[in-house]
Amino acid sequence: MSRPRTLLACAAATIAAAGLAAPPAAAGPAPTTPVRLLALNDFHGNLEPPSGSSGTAVDESGATVPAGGAAYIAAHLKALRNRNTLTVAQGDLIGASPLISAAYHDEPTVQFLGDIGVTASAVGNHEFDEGLGELKRIQHGGCHPVDGCSPAGKWRGAKFDYLSANVLHEATGRPVMKPWTIRRVNGARIGIIGVVTKTTPTIVTPDGVKGLTFQDEVEAANRSARELRRRGVRAMVLLVHEGDQVKPGSKPDECGTVPGVGTAIAQKADPDIDVVLSGHTHQQYVCSVQGPDGRPRLYSSGSSFGRVITKVDFRVDRRTGDIVRSTLAGDNRVVTRDVRPHRPTEKFVQRWKDRVAPVANRPVGKITADITRKPSPAGETALGDLVADAQLASMRDRGAQVALMNPGGVRTDLVHKASGSEGDGVVTYGEAFAVQPFSNIVGVASLTGERLDALLEQQWTSAGEKILQPSANLRFTIDRSRPVGDRVSAITVDGAPVDPAATYKVAANNFLLGGGDGFTVFTDDKNPVLGPIDLDGFVAYLTAQGTVSPPPLNRISGG
């Protein structure tokens, strides 16, 4: 059992008596009512227990333990829930999902989340992967306009509210979804506000956010707080799909954050917001930050893929309706697999697993060892290299000379140990899908050598570092000690130094080609040549190679 992290010790108040008569009895403490929040973030449709490094978490003792899986989430939630409980989420519940969920447009995941009692969730950037129309269908119901109804029949819509206070229609300036909601629990009214990172347009394909404006998170949260106050709501929780990184090895309840955008939002948000639950960065932390009025409030995040449940306990003053800040206590609970799984959820997951099995279990290739996303000192990964090689192969017939892959688009490791009955080393379609779940299109952009150099310099921005993964015939050196904008050198293609004036045809997915992750140089080519879906190219490459070994990490030198 982990110990809750409490923000403030309770303080005793003394009331002085006045007059000559015997002093009246001291006023008792204000009557309060208990409330418990349980929260998930960045679930990404992981109904089955995630595999590889995505399926472990650092626990309170500092040990790395298996974690996650819908049946275990349901079991832990059942043990944690009481009659005073609200269950919420901080976005990216869907999108970049394993095939069991993605094959049915994440309806199984949203059904599961409703069944376990989620009542409200911020939208995440991945909720916009298929555009606003699809998000609204997930919210309100109806069959998919292209693929029709799933085997479960007509989709009835989410049982919880998606909240997006800072996502507005470009034409009207009105919110595209509810900005906030009010929930009653144990006699208390709790206002819940949802916002998503304002960087969403840079990390989602342009079609996914067409016609939308992503406002500053704090500005939108504060506007919603004012609206809640006008309705007499004083207890407020902000669900924000944005967060911070942490120091390596941080335990669930540690505040090991490297303060960044998430902390800034938590510090600047309206003083009446008592709790800030975050996500997006896939980290675990429980912190106390000071709001604009100098009072502390809880700020936390619960990892990703259903590996951690955040529990927040507090009491609400029945007279004022506000949260008593001194009672706030946060506790990140690892979703361990050493408990009895929730049987109804097990059956639910198995039903969807059986439905997708004919596709998911088809062998597409073999590997000789784990091929992972573990980076070299330079930031190169074996799996990123493999994906880049596959994309180059898929676009050779369209003139591609080299390929580059964004690291965030490689979602999980390829593990040598069999996940089912397919045998060790066999890669199934479902496993390949888990690596490349976005259905992006691979294309080719024409860039001069000078602009290729400029593109590689965009691996460092004010938002941090994102090292592009190169195909085998593209080499370069990085030096992080040099100023941003002058860190890349010795670029070669097929062993020859890049000519600044020559034109090179660079394969990449349409997310990058549209300037995603800040790689705006790709947009120099206004008419890139488009090819297959990235997953189709990846599967074809694995099949053509027969057996693949982890590529050596020698394409990016330096550090």
Short mmCIF file of all heavy atoms in Angstrom, two decimals, residues 81 99 137 216 344 393 399 403 412 426 431 505:
data_model
loop_
_atom_site.label_atom_id
_atom_site.label_comp_id
_atom_site.label_asym_id
_atom_site.label_seq_id
_atom_site.Cartn_x
_atom_site.Cartn_y
_atom_site.Cartn_z
N ARG A 81 -13.20 2.22 -5.01
CA ARG A 81 -14.41 3.03 -5.11
C ARG A 81 -15.27 2.92 -3.85
O ARG A 81 -15.39 1.85 -3.27
CB ARG A 81 -15.20 2.61 -6.35
CG ARG A 81 -16.41 3.47 -6.63
CD ARG A 81 -17.07 3.08 -7.94
NE ARG A 81 -16.32 3.58 -9.08
CZ ARG A 81 -15.78 2.83 -10.03
NH1 ARG A 81 -15.89 1.52 -9.95
NH2 ARG A 81 -15.14 3.37 -11.03
N LEU A 99 -4.95 -2.98 -32.04
CA LEU A 99 -5.94 -3.37 -33.04
C LEU A 99 -7.27 -3.78 -32.42
O LEU A 99 -8.32 -3.53 -33.01
CB LEU A 99 -5.37 -4.52 -33.88
CG LEU A 99 -6.17 -4.91 -35.13
CD1 LEU A 99 -6.22 -3.75 -36.12
CD2 LEU A 99 -5.54 -6.13 -35.80
N ARG A 137 -19.21 11.62 -33.07
CA ARG A 137 -19.91 10.34 -33.18
C ARG A 137 -19.61 9.47 -31.97
O ARG A 137 -20.52 8.82 -31.41
CB ARG A 137 -19.48 9.61 -34.47
CG ARG A 137 -20.24 8.31 -34.72
CD ARG A 137 -19.65 7.52 -35.86
NE ARG A 137 -18.39 6.87 -35.49
CZ ARG A 137 -18.30 5.71 -34.85
NH1 ARG A 137 -19.40 5.05 -34.50
NH2 ARG A 137 -17.13 5.18 -34.57
N ASP A 216 -5.33 29.18 -25.57
CA ASP A 216 -4.47 28.99 -24.41
C ASP A 216 -5.22 28.25 -23.31
O ASP A 216 -6.38 28.57 -22.99
CB ASP A 216 -4.00 30.35 -23.90
CG ASP A 216 -3.11 30.22 -22.69
OD1 ASP A 216 -1.92 29.91 -22.86
OD2 ASP A 216 -3.62 30.42 -21.56
N PRO A 344 -16.16 -9.96 -15.34
CA PRO A 344 -16.97 -9.44 -16.44
C PRO A 344 -16.15 -8.67 -17.46
O PRO A 344 -16.40 -8.75 -18.67
CB PRO A 344 -17.99 -8.54 -15.74
CG PRO A 344 -18.09 -9.09 -14.36
CD PRO A 344 -16.71 -9.55 -14.03
N ALA A 393 11.55 1.80 -48.36
CA ALA A 393 11.25 0.71 -49.30
C ALA A 393 9.89 0.91 -49.96
O ALA A 393 9.73 0.64 -51.16
CB ALA A 393 11.30 -0.62 -48.57
N GLY A 399 10.47 7.44 -56.19
CA GLY A 399 11.66 8.28 -56.23
C GLY A 399 12.34 8.55 -54.91
O GLY A 399 13.33 9.29 -54.87
N ALA A 403 14.66 8.23 -45.91
CA ALA A 403 13.41 8.34 -45.14
C ALA A 403 13.72 8.80 -43.73
O ALA A 403 14.80 8.54 -43.19
CB ALA A 403 12.67 7.01 -45.11
N THR A 412 5.07 1.14 -29.76
CA THR A 412 5.41 0.07 -28.84
C THR A 412 6.50 -0.78 -29.43
O THR A 412 6.80 -0.69 -30.63
CB THR A 412 4.17 -0.79 -28.48
OG1 THR A 412 4.46 -1.63 -27.37
CG2 THR A 412 3.75 -1.65 -29.67
N VAL A 426 7.85 -14.58 -34.08
CA VAL A 426 6.86 -14.32 -35.13
C VAL A 426 6.19 -12.97 -34.85
O VAL A 426 5.72 -12.72 -33.74
CB VAL A 426 5.80 -15.43 -35.19
CG1 VAL A 426 4.71 -15.07 -36.20
CG2 VAL A 426 6.45 -16.75 -35.56
N GLU A 431 0.59 -7.11 -33.86
CA GLU A 431 1.79 -6.55 -33.25
C GLU A 431 2.37 -5.44 -34.12
O GLU A 431 2.83 -4.42 -33.61
CB GLU A 431 2.81 -7.65 -33.01
CG GLU A 431 2.39 -8.62 -31.91
CD GLU A 431 3.19 -9.90 -31.89
OE1 GLU A 431 3.85 -10.22 -32.90
OE2 GLU A 431 3.15 -10.61 -30.86
N LYS A 505 15.00 13.50 -52.35
CA LYS A 505 13.61 13.10 -52.16
C LYS A 505 13.52 12.31 -50.85
O LYS A 505 14.11 11.23 -50.73
CB LYS A 505 13.11 12.28 -53.34
CG LYS A 505 13.06 13.12 -54.63
CD LYS A 505 12.43 12.37 -55.77
CE LYS A 505 12.36 13.22 -57.04
NZ LYS A 505 11.54 14.44 -56.86
#
